[in-house]
């Protein structure tokens, strides 16, 4: 979807632009790290310190040849984002962030549904994949209510690589979640 599409609830979905980078970094950080993230329910502040992303990381997602960084606005302000990447027979969903002040009001459901629609209708994929830190039971349960299933397939957390944060516990792993989009 190259042109902006407006949802009935006043949301505008569009691809991220270079001018959005700083706002997107601030959004992702506010949703996951530090005290500001505690306003919402997606915080990782108790399991990871440090940054979640930076301008370079956001630009990398934006420039991925088979991907896009979907940006969501309401009244001209960026309120959410998510990464979509076309990976052959499936799409990958990541860097999902909703402003902590707006979490819990159904906005996330609308955004993930739009991401799934794009993957299904534009890329023609039959599955959406994502990875979630396995100890994030509340977040995994939220995705399960949206039709994602746990696979039990784990990958190690990149301990020692501060680009992913500074772990506050030694049992972090990523679990693959999958949803059939057919």
């Amino acid at each position: 979807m190259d042109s902006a599409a407006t949802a009935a609830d006043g949301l505008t979905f569009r691809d991220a632009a270079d001018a959005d980078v700083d706002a997107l970094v601030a959004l992702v950080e506010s949703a996951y790290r530090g005290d500001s993230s505690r306003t919402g329910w997606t915080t990782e502040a108790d399991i990871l310190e440090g940054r979640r992303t930076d301008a370079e990381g956001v630009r990398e997602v934006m420039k991925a040849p088979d991907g896009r960084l979907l940006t969501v606005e309401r009244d001209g302000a960026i309120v959410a984002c998510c990464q979509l990447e076309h990976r052959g027979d499936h799409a990958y969903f990541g860097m999902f962030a909703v402003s902590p002040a707006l979490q819990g009001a159904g906005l996330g459901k609308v955004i993930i549904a739009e991401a799934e629609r794009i993957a299904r209708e534009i890329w023609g994929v039959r599955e959406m994949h994502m990875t979630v830190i396995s100890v994030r039971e509340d977040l995994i349960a939220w995705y399960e209510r949206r039709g994602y299933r746990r696979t039990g397939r784990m990958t190690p957390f990149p301990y020692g690589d501060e680009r992913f944060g500074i772990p506050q516990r030694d049992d972090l792993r990523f679990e693959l979640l999958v949803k059939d989009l057919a």
Side-chain angles (χ1 to χ4, degrees), residues 86-91 124-127 129:
H86 188 189
R87 296 184 177 175
D89 66 345
H90 70 275
V125 298
R126 300 178 59 93
E127 285 186 339
H129 291 196

Side-chain angles (χ1 to χ4, degrees), residues 21-40 42-45 48-58 81 95-100 103 162-166:
V21 170
D22 290 342
L24 290 167
V25 170
L27 170 69
V28 172
E29 292 299 309
S30 73
Y32 291 98
R33 303 290 164 80
D35 287 336
S36 66
S37 70
R38 296 180 194 284
T39 304
T42 62
T43 184
E44 296 172 342
L48 292 161
E49 291 182 353
R51 68 182 189 201
R52 172 76 186 256
T53 193
D54 59 14
E56 181 182 331
V58 168
C81 68
M95 201 179 277
F96 186 29
V98 174
S99 172
Q103 291 177 16
E162 291 189 11
R163 290 178 304 157
F164 297 93
I166 303 166

Side-chain angles (χ1 to χ4, degrees), residues 7-26:
D9 56 2
L11 298 177
T12 301
F13 294 85
R14 63 174 177 79
D15 287 333
D18 289 334
D20 299 324
V21 170
D22 290 342
L24 290 167
V25 170

Side-chain angles (χ1 to χ4, degrees), residues 10-162:
L11 298 177
T12 301
F13 294 85
R14 63 174 177 79
D15 287 333
D18 289 334
D20 299 324
V21 170
D22 290 342
L24 290 167
V25 170
L27 170 69
V28 172
E29 292 299 309
S30 73
Y32 291 98
R33 303 290 164 80
D35 287 336
S36 66
S37 70
R38 296 180 194 284
T39 304
W41 68 273
T42 62
T43 184
E44 296 172 342
D46 294 329
I47 61 172
L48 292 161
E49 291 182 353
R51 68 182 189 201
R52 172 76 186 256
T53 193
D54 59 14
E56 181 182 331
V58 168
R59 282 190 192 93
E60 186 177 304
V61 170
M62 288 171 53
K63 304 298 182 200
D66 292 321
R68 58 198 304 179
L69 184 54
L70 190 62
T71 302
V72 185
E73 292 180 327
R74 179 181 280 158
D75 299 326
I78 295 174
V79 297
C81 68
C82 67
Q83 169 192 10
L84 287 172
E85 190 174 318
H86 188 189
R87 296 184 177 175
D89 66 345
H90 70 275
Y92 178 79
F93 179 82
M95 201 179 277
F96 186 29
V98 174
S99 172
L102 300 175
Q103 291 177 16
L107 187 58
K109 294 176 200 175
V110 172
I111 295 162
I112 200 166
E114 176 64 7
E116 292 166 357
R117 185 198 67 76
I118 290 168
R120 185 178 51 254
E121 294 180 11
I122 295 177
W123 291 336
V125 298
R126 300 178 59 93
E127 285 186 339
M128 183 79 84
H129 291 196
M130 72 174 71
T131 54
V132 179
I133 297 173
S134 63
V135 298
R136 299 289 320 276
E137 295 293 337
D138 55 344
L139 185 58
I140 291 171
W142 187 86
Y143 286 120
E144 287 178 313
R145 290 190 298 275
R146 315 268 102 51
Y148 287 81
R149 64 178 171 76
R150 298 181 86 156
T151 64
R153 292 175 38 200
M154 303 288 180
T155 54
F157 186 87
Y159 284 92
D161 187 343
E162 291 189 11

